[in-house]
Structures are given as C-alpha cells and as structure tokens.
Amino acid sequence: MKTLVCTTPGQFAYEQAEAPSLTPGNTILKIRQIGICGTDLHAFEGTQPFFNYPRILGHELAAEVIAVDGASDFLPGEAVTIIPYINCTHCIACRSGKPNCCVSLQVAGVHMDGGMVEYLSVPSRLLVHGEGLGFDELALVEPLAIGAHGVRRAAVQAGEFVLVVGAGPIGLGVMEFARIAGATVIALDINEARLTFCREKLNVPFTINAASDDVHEALRTITNGDMPTALIDATGSLRAINTAFSYLAHGGRYVLVGLQKGDISVSHPEFHKREATLMSSRNATRADFELVISSMKSGAINPTTYITHRVNFDQVRDEFANWLDPKKGVIKAMVMMA
C-alpha cells in the first residue's frame, strides 16, 4: 500500500509498505478521508512536542471497515471514525475514566504512525459508529470532540461569558460547544479573516482582534465590567497563553486546550487574588465523540462549513506547505483517498 511519511521537518516522502493483516482485537480499515490539524502542521514545521521522525501523520480519520475482530457490532463496509488515542487501560488515569490522558498514551500520527495510508489496523475497542454520517463529517468528529472536551473541562454554564482565544479549527469547535451549552461566546484572534468566519459562519456574537483592539477594554464593555468567567485557550501560543491570564474574571476558570513547548509564566498575586482555576484539557473521551456525532445528526453543528481546502492523497506532499500560510485562508484541509 502507499503511505506518506514525514521524514524530517519540512519533508514528505511517498513510500510503499505492507498492508496490515487482521490480528486479534483489531480492525482493518480502508482510510477514506483525513483531516489536517494543527498537530500535523506543527509536526511538519518541527515545533510539535512529544514528536519523533520519521512519522506517518494523520489522526482525523473517516474510514470503511474491511475486516474486524473483537467488535461484533461493527460490520464490513460500515463507515466509521476512530478514537486515535491508544491507552493502556490499566494506569491511574485509565482506571479513573480518563483514558484521554493515559500515563503511556500513544496518539496515532504523533507518538505512533497514523492514518496517511491506504489501510490501517486499529484496536477494535476504539471504533466509533458513523451513525449514518458522511465521510466529511466523520473526519471532523475528532477535532470537534477536542473542543467539546475543553468545554466540559471548563464546566461551561448557560448565560456566562466564555472567551475563546484562537479561532483555528480547535477554537471553532470550542466555540460551537460553548454555544450549545448556552454560553455567550467571545472570540479572540489576530487574524481578521478568521474572526469574520466566526461571525458569518458560526454566528459568534462578539469578536475581538488582539492585533488592533484594546482587548481589556473590549472585554469589560462586553461583560459589563465582569470579565469572562471561563477562558479557553486554543492557540498553543506561549505569548497568548501568558497574556490571557489578565482577561479572566475573579473566580474564573482557565482551560488550556492548546499546547506549546515552553513554561507558563503568571503573576502569582494576580492569579491568587482571583481565586482562579487553571486546567489543561487533553484529547477527548468517547462521551465527547458521541456528543459531537449527536450534535451533527441534530443539526446543532454543520461541520462541513469548516472545510476550505481539498486535495487528493497524491497531492499532499506538494500542497502541505501552503496550508501553513495564513494568506491561504485554511480553516480545515481535507485529504481525499482514492
């Protein structure tokens, strides 16, 4: 089968590999579509933490079941997505119902080879029924589930102001599920085109451009002086993360969905006087995947709105670098398998 390998930062190579065989407890999938996420882009740049080369990227997957062992309710020919976080099932996190942050977690396309292949073997326990959704939608379940998980970590409540820092694909998912939870969403970014997307496509009521607006003043005006009670970072930018501490209301919650390599720096007195809560949000759980799928089926979310670029698998090597250019206006690039 044909594979696409990120051999070193900035370099891809198409290679041939043996197609996987069915083994106990696993399923063979024919990959149909692959969503490109920030992790893939950062890996290509050489800025992704916990990453080694060479690596086959890809973990936002829509696939067709070819052969299955250990999951009798899945049938050959069925459209599925997968939970791409391979957990050990027995560590303290797994035993506590948090397989998404397993002590020895292996994420497909990050710690182990992922889905930029024609066929992939995955643990059957990580399959997720497609519920009649199309491949476009199924390839978008995983990134939206990350947003849903971040909102759940923040315990977002109806009626509160939620500031989402970063209007990339993960941030857009956070906004969607904060809206579904009944919150009033404020989007903050430095890219005006993405803020326009938030207003026009997601109906986000308030947007702030950090490059041109007085962020503190704008937040005070929007929240009647209270400041946001929930703040969720989806930038992975150290500067943005550190700056945003000052945007938080007293008694507020700050959730880090974005990831970067450096150390966080915060004024302890400013954080302390707020009696603020700081949390990380890693990956997602099956419950988050199921919430995304039900939200798609009910029409609460129209995920195909996010797809701005499409390429065939044999074009990825030549096109991938372009998706790093903000001028290209990429929200979500989708790779189509033959």
Side-chain angles (χ1 to χ4, degrees), residues 9-207:
Q11 296 293 324
F12 277 118
Y14 287 103
E15 298 181 0
Q16 290 291 319
E18 289 293 325
S21 300
L22 187 64
T23 53
N26 291 293
T27 292
I28 304 300
L29 299 175
K30 179 178 176 59
I31 302 301
R32 299 297 298 268
Q33 290 185 201
I34 308 158
I36 302 301
C37 79
T39 299
D40 301 320
L41 297 172
H42 296 155
F44 183 76
E45 287 181 310
T47 59
Q48 176 63 29
F50 314 124
F51 199 87
N52 295 302
Y53 303 85
R55 179 68 68 225
I56 297 174
L57 306 181
H59 60 265
E60 300 180 359
L61 305 177
E64 176 186 341
V65 174
I66 299 299
V68 60
D69 180 87
S72 59
D73 57 334
F74 287 85
L75 300 174
E78 181 177 353
V80 298
T81 188
I82 70 162
I83 300 171
Y85 325 125
I86 294 80
N87 64 305
C88 74
T89 75
H90 57 262
C91 73
I92 179 61
C94 291
R95 298 197 314 270
S96 301
K98 297 183 177 183
N100 56 298
C101 60
C102 167
V103 172
S104 55
L105 192 70
Q106 298 282 294
V107 178
V110 181
H111 311 100
M112 58 187 293
D113 285 340
M116 286 198 180
V117 296
E118 293 182 277
Y119 297 95
L120 183 68
S121 176
V122 302
S124 298
R125 62 186 174 84
L126 299 178
L127 294 176
V128 181
H129 286 289
E131 301 284 350
L133 297 176
F135 292 125
D136 272 352
E137 296 155 313
L138 291 174
L140 289 164
V141 170
E142 191 271 345
L144 288 169
I146 290 177
H149 190 71
V151 169
R152 185 153 62 92
R153 288 283 287 156
V156 170
Q157 302 296 311
E160 72 175 324
F161 286 101
V162 175
L163 174 63
V164 181
V165 185
I170 299 300
L172 298 177
V174 172
M175 295 175 206
E176 293 271 53
F177 285 96
R179 170 184 58 79
I180 289 170
T184 299
V185 176
I186 309 167
L188 176 66
D189 203 290
I190 59 174
N191 185 322
E192 188 58 39
R194 288 197 167 184
L195 293 174
T196 299
F197 184 93
C198 292
R199 292 190 297 269
E200 295 182 352
K201 301 297 185 181
L202 302 188
N203 296 314
V204 173
F206 299 104
T207 61

